[in-house]
Structures are given as structure tokens and as C-alpha cells.
Amino acid sequence: MIGIVDYNMGNLASVINAFEIIGANIALERDPAKLKNYDKLILPGVGAFGDAMEHLHENGMDEAVNAYAQSGKPLLGICLGMQLLFESSEEFGNHKGLGLIEGHVVAFDEKRFDQKLKVPHMGWNELFTQRETPLFDGLDKDFYLYFVHSYHAVCEDKYAIGKTYYGYEFVSAVQKENIYGIQPHPEKSHENGLKIIENFVKL
């Protein structure tokens, strides 16, 4: 059984639908004490980093997600959920994250862009795989996914399994042992996204 952490941050219907399309057993979970009962865990999220951490902290869900990560079972952060895996974010101030992966979340630096682009980064863009990972099994070395975000992760290359170019290169997918994160929305990315979801289910 796969659990989706439900902490009042974003519409989860499309995430649930994507997992149901591939026939996965999935359930929303609001009780931190029950996270440990799941074989795999999804940390989704849409919205602001600080609000998300506040919601997670309100009932101890942050500690429960950390404990789950330490158990060695697969954990996948999607979009804002990926950003929450890091130590901190500069979105609307400085906010502490879950600290599961060393690194920080920063705003797109438009001064670095090699051309005039709009922020947020929204729409289809290419993910360039950086190393082999079971999350991308069966996909081309580089493939398109759907993005919507104004902030991105900065971390050591040893954690980067995917990078994307938008004005400059940034980290768009990460892995640290059993902990995975992906900045784009696989649940909105058609066949490529469903393949990533299927690969996670198979871990």
C-alpha cells in the first residue's frame, strides 16, 4: 500500500488519479502515527514552502515523514514536496525544511538567464538524466515533463539524478538512497510521468 501525505497543501486528485491509472493501491493519510504502515510514501505539495512546513509541523507530520525516511522505505517528494526534502528555502523569508537532503531552495535568478523568460517556469521542458536510477527505468536519457514553479533546489551533484535548462541549468530531480524528489509534476506529464510513477511503485 502506498500512502499520500495529506496536509492541506494542494489538490491531490490528480496525484491519486495517476496512481489509480496504473493500478496502484493508494490512500490519503492524515494521521502521522500511521505513516509507518505504508510500503511507500508520497509527499506532494502545491503552494508556499513556509505554509507547507507549518502544516506538517502542526500535528507532528514533519517528524513522522523524517522517521519514515530513516526506515529505508521509498519516499517520493513531488514539486513542493521535493523542495521540502531540503534543509531550507528562501521563499517569502527563510524557512527550515525537513533536512533529509543537504541543499537549499532558491528563487530563479533572472539576472542569470541567457534570454528573457517568465517566472514561474511553466509548461513542458526537458529533464536530462544525470545518472542511472530506477525511477527513470524504461525512459529515454532525456525526456519531457510538465513544470510549474518559481523556486528550485541547489544541491551537490551527487544527489542530482535530473537537471533541466530554463535560463540556466538547475536540479530537477534528486535521489539520496531511498529518498527521491522530482520538481515537475509526473501526474500531469502523460506517458513519461506515468512511467515514473510506475517505476516508483515497483521499487
Side-chain angles (χ1 to χ4, degrees):
M1 178 66 82
I2 298 167
I4 298 180
V5 181
D6 184 2
Y7 62 110
N8 297 319
M9 287 298 290
N11 178 16
L12 303 179
S14 57
V15 178
I16 294 167
N17 184 56
F19 277 85
E20 288 179 342
I21 285 172
I22 63 166
N25 290 322
I26 192 108
L28 289 175
E29 188 55 69
R30 286 176 169 265
D31 185 350
K34 293 182 179 176
L35 291 192
K36 63 180 182 293
N37 299 333
Y38 292 94
D39 301 313
K40 299 177 182 71
L41 197 64
I42 306 290
L43 181 63
V46 175
F49 190 102
D51 291 342
M53 284 304 301
E54 191 173 316
H55 281 291
L56 286 171
H57 186 64
E58 277 173 357
N59 65 348
M61 190 65 90
D62 53 348
E63 292 181 2
V65 172
N66 267 282
Y68 189 93
Q70 302 308 320
S71 75
K73 291 189 283 189
L75 167 66
L76 174 64
I78 295 174
C79 194
L80 176 59
M82 166 180 151
Q83 296 180 5
L84 296 172
L85 301 174
F86 290 94
E87 293 169 296
S88 68
S89 171
E90 65 175 33
E91 185 176 7
F92 303 123
N94 205 306
H95 302 279
K96 187 178 178 183
L98 293 170
L100 293 170
I101 299 177
E102 294 82 4
H104 307 280
V105 176
V106 302
F108 273 108
D109 184 354
E110 296 181 55
K111 294 175 185 172
R112 291 178 56 200
F113 284 179
D114 60 358
Q115 57 184 296
K116 190 170 177 59
L117 296 166
K118 290 182 179 179
V119 175
H121 170 213
M122 184 181 298
W124 293 89
N125 204 344
E126 204 164 3
L127 184 149
F128 305 102
T129 59
Q130 301 300 298
R131 59 184 171 89
E132 283 192 18
T133 171
L135 202 62
F136 299 154
D137 278 354
L139 288 162
D140 293 336
K141 182 167 172 51
D142 310 317
F143 53 90
Y144 281 85
L145 296 168
Y146 189 80
F147 291 77
V148 184
H149 64 118
S150 300
Y151 292 78
H152 65 83
V154 175
C155 66
E156 292 183 48
D157 275 348
K158 66 180 179 180
Y159 300 128
I161 56 173
K163 291 186 178 182
T164 296
Y165 201 91
Y166 191 73
Y168 54 80
E169 191 177 67
F170 69 91
V171 175
S172 54
V174 292
Q175 180 185 349
K176 182 182 178 183
E177 299 170 350
N178 59 305
I179 303 165
Y180 299 82
I182 187 156
Q183 180 64 59
H185 288 271
E187 77 280 7
K188 296 178 181 178
S189 299
H190 305 325
E191 290 85 358
N192 289 341
L194 287 176
K195 185 61 179 172
I196 289 171
I197 288 169
E198 183 183 348
N199 287 339
F200 181 72
V201 170
K202 287 178 177 176
L203 287 175

